[in-house]
Amino acid sequence: MLSRTASTLVSAVGRLSVTCDPDASFAPGSIVVANHTSLADPAVVIAALYRLDVTPVIMATAGLWHIPLLGRSLTREGHIPVHRRDRRAAGALDLAARALEEGRLVLIYAEGGLPRRRDAAEAAPGDFRTGLARLVERTGAPVVPVGQAGARRVTSGSKIKQVAGLVTAPLRRPDLHVHVGAPIVLTGDNAARTARARTAVTTAWRTAAAHLGEPAALAH
């Protein structure tokens, strides 16, 4: 239900397009890693994956579970709350490992949080935290890098600007793009795994941002 709802909402607020590398694929038990730039981009990524017949288990901030209808839906569908800076945080990796062992796809945002910029422009992914590398170490799961661009055109900046962006998006209908890269196998220590994953997601993001003509996509 969450994927269908995201698809409907994204279609209402913008024009979503999706591309994939020629050898992109989603093997059972894969980790999907996407860049995180806006409160809107989880819906954008989920809607794009839904077009590709992919409905992942989502690792998301535990605060979403406090929203009555959404929280019940997240629990019912087996999504995973992440309690950051909390002793319960390790439990999220346990649940993710179990989902991967069952052959499900797990969507993770390795940056952990949103950028603090107030403009709507695109920028390369920030530093990745170690959770992804630790999950790969435990499970050996392949990683599918996903880059999204345009979500900041829906909502970004101060709280007032975010609300205004959401309200006006159905009239503005900004372009949104998601690009799926080829799966990779991460090896080495946690630092090496983290660095390679970030590079792969940055490459996917650059493709997505270039599709929208974002200047940041041309910067190296």
Side-chain angles (χ1 to χ4, degrees), residues 38-126:
S38 163
L39 292 174
D41 68 61
V44 172
V45 170
I46 294 167
L49 294 176
Y50 186 62
R51 287 191 184 182
L52 300 173
D53 295 321
V54 173
T55 53
V57 173
I58 304 159
M59 298 184 72
T61 179
L64 296 177
W65 271 254
H66 298 310
I67 302 173
L69 292 177
L70 177 60
R72 284 197 291 272
S73 176
L74 291 169
T75 297
R76 183 173 60 250
E77 297 183 20
H79 301 296
I80 300 170
V82 179
H83 300 269
R84 296 191 180 96
R85 301 180 180 88
D86 187 297
R87 59 184 176 81
R88 294 173 291 177
L93 290 183
D94 293 337
L95 293 173
R98 189 179 309 160
L100 292 169
E101 290 168 0
E102 293 171 354
R104 300 194 69 180
L105 296 156
V106 172
L107 172 61
I108 184 172
Y109 287 90
E111 292 162 273
L114 291 170
R116 296 185 178 181
R117 302 186 343 267
R118 290 181 174 268
D119 63 285
E122 289 291 327

Side-chain angles (χ1 to χ4, degrees), residues 155-201:
T155 178
S156 59
S158 67
K159 290 183 179 179
I160 293 176
K161 286 186 176 181
Q162 289 187 43
V163 172
L166 285 172
V167 170
T168 61
L171 298 176
R172 296 183 290 111
R173 294 192 56 75
D175 289 327
L176 313 165
H177 192 79
V178 172
H179 182 77
V180 180
I184 57 176
V185 176
L186 301 181
T187 57
D189 60 17
N190 281 350
R193 293 188 185 101
T194 299
R196 188 175 178 209
R198 185 187 177 199
T199 296
V201 172

Side-chain angles (χ1 to χ4, degrees), residues 26-42:
F26 296 92
S30 295
I31 303 170
V32 181
V33 187
N35 62 310
H36 197 19
T37 62
S38 163
L39 292 174
D41 68 61

